[in-house]
Amino acid sequence: MAIYNDFVAGYESGMKMVEIAKRNNVSERTIYRYKAYYDKMKIADEMERKYYI
């Protein structure tokens, strides 16, 4: 979970995927999986806000 949280911090600050992968010593594939999950959660959050506000 710590690597995912670091991914989110790096991604939102504008870091490149390759830089995030190297910094956390994981594969680029792992970072792209995190990106897919991040996008999915972002959409779910937006939908929730749309219907509950």
Side-chain angles (χ1 to χ4, degrees), residues 8-45:
V8 172
Y11 181 72
E12 289 181 346
S13 70
M15 285 183 73
K16 294 181 181 179
M17 299 293 187
V18 175
E19 294 172 340
I20 298 169
K22 286 182 182 178
R23 183 167 81 173
N24 289 297
N25 199 26
V26 296
S27 70
E28 289 181 48
R29 183 176 180 194
T30 299
I31 295 301
Y32 281 102
R33 281 191 210 129
Y34 288 164
K35 168 94 169 56
Y37 180 76
Y38 174 84
D39 289 343
K40 183 179 176 182
M41 291 298 106
K42 206 68 151 160
I43 290 170
D45 185 48

